[in-house]
Amino acid sequence: MTISEHLPALVVVLPLMAAPACVMLRHPFAAWLVASGTSWLCLLMSALLLRQVADHGAFSYQLGNWAAPWGIEYRIDMASAFILVIVSAIAAVVSLYARASVAHEIEQSRQYLFHALFVVCLSGLLGIAITGDAFNLFVFLEISSLSTYAMVALGRDRRALTAAMRYLVLGTVGATFYVIGVGLAYMMTGTLNMADLAARLPAVIHTSTAQAGLAFLVIGIGLKMAAFPLHFWLPDAYAHAPSAASAFLAGTATKVAVYAFLRMVVGVFGATGILAVAAMADMLMVVAVLGMVVGSAVAIWQTDIRRALAYSSVAQIGYVLLGISLLTEAGLAAGIVHLFNHAVMKSALFLALGSVFLRLGSVRIADLAGIGRRMPLSMAAFLVAGLSMIGVPLTVGFVSKWYLVEAILHKGLWPVAVLVLLSSLLAVVYVWRVVEVMWFAKPSALALTAVEAPLSMLVPTWMLAGAAVWFGVDATGTMAVARAAAAVLMTGVGQ
Amino acid sequence: MEVPGLFNYWMVVVLMMAGLYTVIARGNLVKKIVGLNVFQISVFVLYITMGKITGGTAPILGGGLALYSNPLPHVLILTAIVVGVATTALGLALIVRIREAYGTIEEDEILDMERGET
Amino acid sequence: MTPQTLILLALAIPVACIGPVLLARRRPDLREAFSLLAGIATFACVLLLYGMVAAGERPELVLGEMLPGLPLVLRIEPLGMLFALIASGLWPVTTLYAIGYMRGHHEKNQTRFYAFFALAISCALGIAFSGNMLTLFVFYEALTIGTFPLVTHAGTKAAKRAGRVYLGILLGTSVCFLLLAIVWTWTIAGTLDFVPGGILAGKVADWAVAPLLALYVFGIGKAALMPFHRWLPAAMVAPTPVSALLHAVAVVKAGVFTVLKVTVHIFGLDLLNAGGGVPWLAGAAGFTIIAASLVAMSKDNLKARLAYSTISQLSYVVLGAMILAPLSVMGASIHIAAHAFGKITLFFAAGAVMVASHKTEISQMAGIGRRMPWTMGAFAVGALSMIGLPPTAGFVSKWYVLNGAVESGHMAAVGVVIVSTLLNAAYFLPIIHSAFFGEEKHDGDHRNDHGEAPLPAVAALVITATATVAFFVAPDWAIGLGGDLVGRAR
């Protein structure tokens, strides 16, 4: 066996092994080197896996050579490979940024811990994406969550601790709900393998046990992905975590939870037809639209820009869920492509803000007056990513909006389409409010002290901002992958 | 003693609700973590119960036994217990840090202090 | 040079000149020389392209595939050519004017001004050359955002508030209505190409035609159809060259150009006529023409009056399009050009008065014609063009619109045009009269010992005034392009 055959295992195991290495090295720079190197290796492996899927179709990896459905199966298809690439790409870029940012925000003696937690979290997120086993997914979910709680707690001021605590309580409740849901499904089917579950569930879906299982799954994953109204942990966590952690989590954590939702709820339970029968899809749509509108509206009123962006994330998850709730391939593709698009632009925004925090020690909107003149390159990246949030053409935000509206119109849901566009106008308000202060206000006394961010932070920020334009100008590639991924997930639903 | 058929499941529900209630209703962070534990344990019980088959023995190869309990849920719960322990440890560690930073572990007092900071 | 190269050059030269302009920020003469040169070069490219288009060629350039099945395409057809000629031709003239105005007015951030101005021109040309609706939308939104720094140029509270109105209305309408309409069209037709005769015929349900067209017409906020016109008066806080070229020519014309484009190349006149047209949209345009004229009459601030006059004049184009007669559509397209010359002259004059005497209100301008004869003379020419009197450009386009309306029996439209002509006369002629024959007032704030504005500014407004008259004498090129649009033989 060559090493390439073990890529599916390696992509998860490598970051997991890198964590103890970071802890043993203890030296901040050495730990960062390991973490960053690992992230880039993971990106390489994920890209190879995506290519393999694109060339030869989906394939399985039997962990420890135990055949599915008894052993744990890693299943790599278009959907999981796409998520792998998204997560590892964001991780790789953020890891570059993390060195300078972490060195500034976290005391010297704890910096190696951040890097260790970072790779553990990466390992968990990649594991969720790649596994084909419902219980294994729970384990990875908790690996990523536990490391996330700790990462958030490394934030600068003491509110990070309470934010982490709140996140821990709600996150654990969510994960436990998920386990209950899986347990109930297991009770009825005797299997934990997702493909196997999807095959066996239709026969038992009429039982209240299976239906209760679905309900627990939806709530559990809903908590993890901060779907409205289960989002209360998110704004605090993103606002108080270290900048690099905010950027990483904003781009990956909720996305991967959405992927778990896609796999378990649409992929596994979708085959039973219950989503349409039990008005699940309709409920999901209502929740999605509410999240989209309320999230954006609340974002407008925040004085801390990171909180505004966090609420905007709640709204963006609403867009994705809306796409899913259409239960069509086009809707699903729109949702999936938005996972990627939103990850890129939101992480870029958080990275740009992290640079501001590095120089100003604040991200309150009043302190940012005129910062555009002092840090033109960082703030230009913020502007680009912000325009993408609004959905200006030639940015990824526009691509998402276009396909979401198209999918909605195909179903003839006019009012929903109008709501989507209206809520994107709310994004104009909360983005432009910041842009106006940054670029068109007289510099505040604090802003006058600032200078441009160091290159090690500028380059990653622009990598993502550049990607937000690149994939907005030519969306053929991302859309092709998203459509293929949607097709995989829809096979069960069979529209 | 013959145990009523669904006794375990009823206990699961009771534990689950008690745990969840504690998480929601208690302001003391340590009590919250305890509640979280109880909540998780109810799930452990759920899994273990579903693996048990009336009259079944331990699943050991050899000995010609036809009826044995399903070992898989038990194995799963071993993993889940590990996760639970890790969560509890992390939660308690956070509480220690919170106590150091705020001087209290009562949620409403912490909230009052935070309100003053923004 | 191949037409493809020329298209690229026309779009790229304005953008490319931003670099030298920024580099030369400490040397104003050099900076403005770059701007002027770029303007002339761009216009030359467009002129060369005009030769090809007039000869019947339709050069096309595919920029790349943006969304699967939806490329970014540039393709030049007569209407786009007309718009491009106006926008690029008036750019160097406006630059000339700006040299006098910006220096005379001691504006700050002049480098930023020239840079974003060039960007806006490139976007306007992109709109003119767009080969499908997606490409047009891309440039349309870019134009909105690119002109924001120009609107808020002064940096004052009032400017910022105006900027918010500007961005809010233009982005709001384009995202909520226009984008919705475009995606709807895409789901119905499976293409967004601009095709003579339209792409929707036979594909769209009868009931959907009117709401879809309404989404387009109101979604194109740059056309300033009431009630989405507020951004235009708000944008008047910008320096006068911006008001003159962008908010009398490039940006607003981009709006009505898009309306025409959608009417002719997305729907097609046949489809709309078959359904009996959408009379209430024509009514909305008619209402805007009259109402905006009435509002203009009540404004004492000269730029505000000109802004409302622009709103009114823009709706001529929308009205011409909504009458759906080939002649009126042709008239509407000619009006895009005709109105441009007159209105830019008026704005130039208003700015020149502001620079020379610091007067902004009409009531202050009594007798000013004697001190600034060239300026006010040009103003008079522009005003005549607005009213639609010979020997000015406005007469030509109004003639065609009226002819189309009469031919197709739209008597209400004829009435609107006549009433608005009277209204135009009522709010322009008194200005001219008092400027030349009024008694100068002496108030403490303004000195009356000024002469003409700086030479470049006066030169520019004389050029545009001359062009306004020249258009009346030789309108063949515009009539030819307008005729091509509706398929009339040259």
Side-chain angles (χ1 to χ4, degrees):
Chain A
M1 273 201 166
T2 59
I3 207 150
S4 68
E5 285 173 50
H6 289 295
L7 277 183
L10 274 176
V11 81
V12 178
V13 171
L14 188 75
L16 201 59
M17 302 308 290
C22 288
V23 174
M24 281 186 278
L25 285 169
R26 287 214 162 221
H27 187 271
F29 182 77
W32 168 76
L33 207 61
V34 171
S36 188
T38 310
S39 306
W40 281 95
L41 270 177
C42 284
L43 175 57
L44 178 71
M45 290 190 279
S46 304
L48 286 176
L49 285 171
L50 180 66
R51 235 190 63 202
Q52 209 168 330
V53 175
D55 290 348
H56 307 295
F59 60 96
S60 295
Y61 177 85
Q62 316 292 351
L63 215 61
N65 261 340
W66 293 91
W70 296 281
I72 291 171
E73 178 194 19
Y74 281 3
R75 177 92 190 145
I76 302 99
D77 53 30
M78 222 41 176
S80 50
F82 193 38
I83 299 292
L84 284 178
V85 170
I86 296 175
V87 170
S88 53
I90 299 287
V93 174
V94 173
S95 74
L96 284 185
Y97 178 95
R99 192 185 59 79
S101 176
V102 165
H104 174 255
E105 290 181 18
I106 299 173
E107 55 195 275
Q108 174 102 26
S109 60
R110 285 189 182 149
Q111 286 172 15
Y112 73 95
L113 286 175
F114 178 90
H115 298 301
L117 290 167
F118 185 86
V119 276
V120 175
C121 189
L122 174 62
S123 163
L125 295 173
L126 293 175
I128 297 173
I130 209 168
T131 188
D133 184 282
F135 196 85
N136 198 231
L137 195 153
F138 160 74
V139 176
F140 281 122
L141 199 62
E142 283 306 78
I143 288 179
S144 66
S145 297
L146 283 167
S147 51
T148 308
Y149 309 146
M151 248 196 294
V152 171
L154 282 173
R156 302 152 306 275
D157 68 41
R158 59 183 187 174
R159 276 173 293 171
L161 297 171
T162 46
M165 187 70 202
R166 214 164 291 147
Y167 188 8
L168 179 135
V169 170
L170 285 176
T172 308
V173 169
T176 313
F177 267 59
Y178 175 84
V179 184
I180 298 171
V182 170
L184 294 177
Y186 177 72
M187 249 187 203
M188 298 311 298
T189 58
T191 180
L192 290 167
N193 183 287
M194 288 180 195
D196 220 20
L197 270 172
R200 294 190 195 191
L201 268 172
V204 295
I205 193 63
H206 59 276
T207 60
S208 55
T209 311
Q211 289 174 6
L214 175 62
F216 273 110
L217 278 180
V218 170
I219 302 293
I221 305 176
L223 262 167
K224 287 283 183 190
M225 64 184 174
F228 180 87
L230 304 170
H231 63 276
F232 290 103
W233 56 268
L234 183 131
D236 276 331
Y238 284 12
H240 299 300
S243 302
S246 301
F248 178 53
L249 296 176
T252 57
T254 48
K255 309 293 168 300
V256 170
V258 173
Y259 170 79
F261 185 87
L262 280 170
R263 270 286 166 215
M264 290 304 295
V265 177
V266 179
V268 172
F269 277 87
T272 63
I274 193 170
L275 299 183
V277 173
M280 272 279 301
D282 295 340
M283 277 191 283
L284 193 63
M285 184 176 295
V286 171
V287 167
V289 169
L290 276 175
M292 196 167 90
V293 174
V294 175
S296 305
V298 174
I300 292 174
W301 303 109
Q302 302 304 314
T303 50
D304 184 316
I305 301 173
R306 275 194 310 215
R307 284 185 84 86
L309 293 184
Y311 277 107
S312 135
S313 282
V314 175
Q316 303 290 330
I317 291 294
Y319 285 112
V320 178
L321 288 183
L322 182 58
I324 297 172
S325 73
L326 297 174
L327 286 183
T328 60
E329 206 169 307
L332 227 50
I336 291 170
V337 84
H338 192 52
L339 286 182
F340 172 80
N341 292 344
H342 178 243
V344 167
M345 57 196 180
K346 192 50 77 60
S347 292
L349 286 172
F350 270 109
L351 289 186
L353 275 187
S355 302
V356 173
F357 190 87
L358 177 81
R359 294 302 189 214
L360 295 186
S362 161
V363 287
R364 293 169 64 81
I365 193 158
D367 296 329
L368 263 68
I371 190 75
R373 307 230 176 147
R374 308 295 306 174
M375 308 174 69
L377 291 173
S378 304
M379 293 305 99
F382 187 94
L383 177 64
V384 168
L387 289 176
S388 182
M389 288 295 302
I390 296 174
V392 171
L394 298 185
T395 61
V396 287
F398 177 73
V399 177
S400 305
K401 203 159 68 177
W402 177 277
Y403 282 102
L404 189 57
V405 172
E406 188 192 331
I408 293 169
L409 287 190
H410 265 304
K411 279 213 125 184
L413 297 164
W414 284 95
V416 181
V418 172
L419 279 172
V420 167
L421 295 172
L422 272 179
S423 81
S424 80
L425 276 189
L426 294 176
V428 176
V429 181
Y430 65 71
V431 170
W432 207 260
R433 201 172 63 113
V434 180
V435 168
E436 204 183 84
V437 168
M438 280 177 169
W439 287 96
F440 299 103
K442 283 213 168 57
S444 65
L446 194 59
L448 280 175
T449 63
V451 290
E452 188 56 86
L455 213 55
S456 70
M457 292 166 81
L458 260 184
V459 171
T461 311
W462 267 103
M463 281 167 123
L464 290 180
V469 174
W470 180 272
F471 293 106
V473 173
D474 181 4
T476 47
T478 44
M479 269 319 287
V481 176
R483 282 187 174 150
V488 168
L489 291 164
M490 286 298 287
T491 43
V493 184
Q495 287 277 322
Chain B
M1 192 184 78
E2 191 64 26
V3 179
L6 294 177
F7 175 78
N8 274 23
Y9 291 103
W10 282 113
M11 283 319 292
V12 167
V13 172
V14 168
L15 281 175
M16 200 179 278
M17 291 306 124
L20 212 49
Y21 177 79
T22 314
V23 172
I24 296 164
R26 294 294 153 202
N28 184 306
L29 294 179
V30 173
K31 287 184 182 168
K32 262 189 198 296
I33 294 293
V34 172
L36 210 54
N37 263 305
V38 173
F39 179 51
Q40 286 181 311
I41 284 167
S42 73
V43 182
F44 304 162
V45 176
L46 173 73
Y47 268 73
I48 294 167
T49 308
M50 74 171 92
K52 171 72 183 168
I53 288 168
T54 315
T57 65
I60 299 168
L61 280 180
L65 290 166
L67 199 61
Y68 55 86
S69 294
N70 184 350
L72 187 63
H74 298 185
V75 177
L76 297 179
I77 282 325
L78 273 180
T79 319
I81 287 172
V82 173
V83 172
V85 168
T87 312
T88 309
L90 183 59
L92 290 176
L94 274 176
I95 292 171
V96 171
R97 292 278 311 279
I98 287 174
R99 165 78 204 231
E100 283 169 10
Y102 287 86
T104 176
I105 55 168
E106 292 296 328
E107 198 174 31
D108 42 357
E109 290 174 26
I110 295 170
L111 276 176
D112 281 344
M113 278 186 243
E114 285 189 346
R115 220 162 272 141
E117 283 174 31
T118 53
Chain C
M1 265 188 286
T2 65
Q4 282 72 25
T5 327
L6 281 173
I7 298 178
L8 260 190
L9 277 178
L11 256 63
I13 291 174
V15 176
C17 92
I18 292 175
V21 162
L22 289 180
L23 287 177
R25 63 181 175 278
R26 307 232 176 276
R27 301 183 54 195
D29 293 335
L30 193 62
R31 175 187 67 198
E32 280 138 37
F34 280 132
S35 286
L36 258 181
L37 272 178
I40 292 166
T42 309
F43 185 48
C45 290
V46 176
L47 269 184
L48 287 174
L49 284 167
Y50 167 69
M52 298 174 193
V53 173
E57 275 184 62
R58 299 289 179 265
E60 182 180 295
L61 174 65
V62 180
L63 295 175
E65 195 167 357
M66 178 174 160
L67 306 174
L70 263 178
L72 290 176
V73 187
L74 300 174
R75 189 185 307 112
I76 309 187
E77 43 68 57
L79 183 61
M81 195 65 238
L82 186 72
F83 178 41
L85 277 173
I86 299 302
S88 65
L90 289 176
W91 182 31
V93 184
T94 310
T95 309
L96 184 68
Y97 177 80
I99 295 170
Y101 178 90
M102 297 300 275
R103 293 185 185 184
H105 218 237
H106 307 292
E107 291 273 358
K108 291 187 186 134
N109 295 322
Q110 292 193 21
T111 306
R112 187 175 81 189
F113 167 84
Y114 285 108
F116 279 101
F117 211 101
L119 185 68
I121 294 298
S122 180
C123 294
L125 290 180
I127 292 177
F129 292 162
S130 290
N132 64 23
M133 202 58 214
L134 180 72
T135 316
L136 194 151
F137 187 72
V138 167
F139 284 110
Y140 183 96
E141 295 290 62
L143 184 60
T144 305
I145 291 164
T147 45
F148 178 83
L150 294 172
V151 171
T152 57
H153 187 86
T156 56
K157 270 218 165 68
K160 273 187 204 153
R161 210 170 22 237
R164 276 179 217 149
V165 173
Y166 184 80
L167 203 67
I169 292 182
L170 288 186
L171 272 186
T173 49
S174 69
V175 167
C176 275
F177 305 138
L178 183 56
L179 182 59
L180 190 62
I182 295 173
V183 180
W184 192 5
T185 309
W186 167 247
T187 55
I188 293 173
T191 173
L192 287 175
D193 283 344
F194 291 130
V195 177
I199 52 174
L200 285 169
K203 290 177 181 161
V204 64
D206 285 340
W207 66 268
V209 171
L212 183 55
L213 185 62
L215 277 179
Y216 271 115
V217 171
F218 286 109
I220 300 164
K222 291 197 201 323
L225 201 63
M226 283 181 176
F228 300 113
H229 65 286
R230 292 277 318 153
W231 64 271
L232 187 54
M236 290 300 138
V237 297
T240 303
V242 174
S243 307
L245 183 58
L246 298 181
H247 300 122
V249 181
V251 172
V252 289
K253 292 293 147 59
V256 288
F257 165 78
T258 312
V259 171
L260 268 180
K261 200 85 175 156
V262 166
T263 314
V264 180
H265 288 166
I266 295 282
F267 286 88
L269 295 180
D270 294 340
L271 172 69
L272 290 171
N273 273 322
V278 189
W280 58 275
L281 277 177
F287 172 80
T288 305
I289 293 177
I290 303 290
S293 299
L294 290 173
V295 177
M297 214 173 274
S298 71
K299 296 286 173 190
D300 190 35
N301 182 296
L302 183 55
K303 276 178 81 176
R305 186 175 286 190
L306 292 179
Y308 275 97
S309 159
T310 306
I311 295 172
S312 164
Q313 296 280 338
L314 289 173
S315 277
Y316 276 120
V317 180
V318 180
L319 181 68
M322 291 301 129
I323 289 174
L324 301 175
L327 264 188
S328 67
V329 170
M330 193 176 150
S333 60
I334 299 170
H335 197 61
I336 289 182
H339 172 249
F341 291 117
K343 191 45 73 58
I344 202 169
T345 311
L346 291 172
F347 270 109
F348 281 173
V353 169
M354 207 191 295
V355 170
S357 70
H358 303 289
K359 287 175 179 171
T360 55
E361 308 303 307
I362 293 161
S363 54
Q364 300 166 338
M365 292 176 193
I368 204 162
R370 289 193 292 275
R371 293 194 182 277
M372 306 177 69
W374 287 101
T375 303
M376 291 317 286
F379 187 92
V381 173
L384 288 183
S385 180
M386 290 303 113
I387 302 167
L389 294 176
T392 56
F395 174 75
V396 181
S397 51
K398 228 172 221 180
W399 176 260
Y400 278 97
V401 173
L402 269 179
N403 255 335
V406 172
E407 218 170 62
S408 57
H410 281 85
M411 283 309 152
V414 176
V416 164
V417 173
I418 290 171
V419 170
S420 81
T421 303
L422 294 177
L423 288 172
N424 287 346
Y427 64 79
F428 273 123
L429 293 182
I431 305 176
I432 304 169
H433 181 266
S434 98
F436 283 104
F437 307 109
E439 200 57 35
E440 259 187 16
K441 280 187 210 140
H442 294 273
D443 57 1
D445 301 338
H446 299 99
R447 291 151 38 131
N448 280 328
D449 53 354
H450 59 84
E452 283 284 2
L455 181 64
V458 177
L461 61 89
V462 169
I463 292 175
T464 55
T466 316
T468 310
V469 177
F471 189 94
F472 174 79
V473 179
D476 299 345
W477 60 278
I479 293 174
L481 288 173
D484 284 349
L485 172 70
V486 292
R488 267 167 52 124
R490 267 173 187 267

